[in-house]
Amino acid sequence: MLNRIVIVGASSGIGAALALEMARPGRSIALVARRAAELERVAEQVRARGATALVEPCDAKDTAAVEASWQRLSGAMGGVDALIYASGVMPEVGIDEFNTEKDREMIEVNVVGAMAWLNCGARDFARRGSGTLCGIGSVAGDRGRRPHPAYGASKAALHHYLEALRNRLSLKGIHVVTIKPGPVQTPMIEGRGKMPMTISAEKAAARIAKAVERGENTVYVPGQWWLIMHILQHMPSFIFKRLSI
């Protein structure tokens, strides 16, 4: 049973929706993000659903602080059953813009921050012989597309890292879940125009929660993206580069 859950990136978007989706009596949900006031708002809603909520302000880019945060939460909950890394950034990048600072931020939050938290979970779960790790990737990581080179690269790196963790930890009884959502209606995509097959954060959270609780491997959200990305991944480059995607 997954009764002690840490969600990193829980102040808004998919992370906040997941906290509410997974909140129920008997569960402890630890909420991690840099915005303490927003975490408290989510925590109130989690408690209203009968779960215990813990708040841990921590910036995903502050990897030096991750170990101490993990130890505080693990100690307060008497251990952790599942860790979900939902933090992610995607700043607006113009089609003719090549901005290293924006690229650096995406790599620091979407990849290095994820590694720092997942390493903590992997180490403790491996020692105990049980647990579930989950990372929120993106369909953007399945193929290099025009609009967001660094964002897609960061998610591709996360997918690769999660697969390697899965292969490393599976013999120890640990589940590693990779989530690949399409567009989800969150602050990340506000004001960016209409995107195909956009779903609500609540709908995404419902499917992600099931994947975590079942210990699935790689899950596209919604499921139709599996076929779409399978086709795109196997499309010859000379055709793919002509597509306006």
Side-chain angles (χ1 to χ4, degrees), residues 157-239:
L158 179 60
H159 298 167
H160 185 105
Y161 184 71
L162 289 166
E163 182 179 14
L165 281 185
R166 183 180 302 118
N167 293 335
R168 175 182 283 199
L169 297 171
S170 61
L171 295 178
K172 298 180 181 293
I174 298 162
H175 299 290
V176 179
V177 183
T178 303
I179 303 296
K180 297 184 178 182
V184 178
Q185 194 60 55
T186 67
M188 180 183 287
I189 68 169
E190 283 181 1
R192 302 199 183 192
K194 186 176 182 180
M195 296 185 180
M197 296 171 57
T198 299
I199 62 173
S200 69
E202 291 74 20
K203 185 173 182 179
R207 180 63 184 96
I208 295 167
K210 287 182 181 179
V212 172
E213 289 163 356
R214 295 170 179 171
E216 299 181 49
N217 291 335
T218 299
V219 177
Y220 286 85
V221 180
Q224 298 94 310
W225 280 106
W226 177 87
L227 178 59
I228 295 169
M229 297 315 300
H230 181 78
I231 293 169
L232 291 179
Q233 284 176 311
H234 291 84
M235 184 177 291
S237 182
F238 75 90
I239 296 175

Side-chain angles (χ1 to χ4, degrees), residues 15-26:
L18 262 174
L20 300 184
E21 176 67 29
M22 303 187 83
R24 65 190 62 165

Side-chain angles (χ1 to χ4, degrees), residues 40-54:
E40 291 291 352
R41 177 186 60 79
V42 177
E44 289 179 8
Q45 297 176 68
V46 168
R47 293 176 187 128
R49 299 191 178 200
T52 299
L54 295 82

Side-chain angles (χ1 to χ4, degrees), residues 72-103:
R72 276 194 295 271
L73 293 173
S74 182
M77 292 192 292
V80 178
D81 299 316
L83 166 64
I84 303 170
Y85 191 86
S87 286
V89 295
M90 186 178 69
E92 190 69 48
V93 177
I95 196 66
D96 294 317
E97 181 181 7
F98 302 91
N99 188 313
T100 302
E101 289 309 307
K102 289 182 179 180
D103 294 347

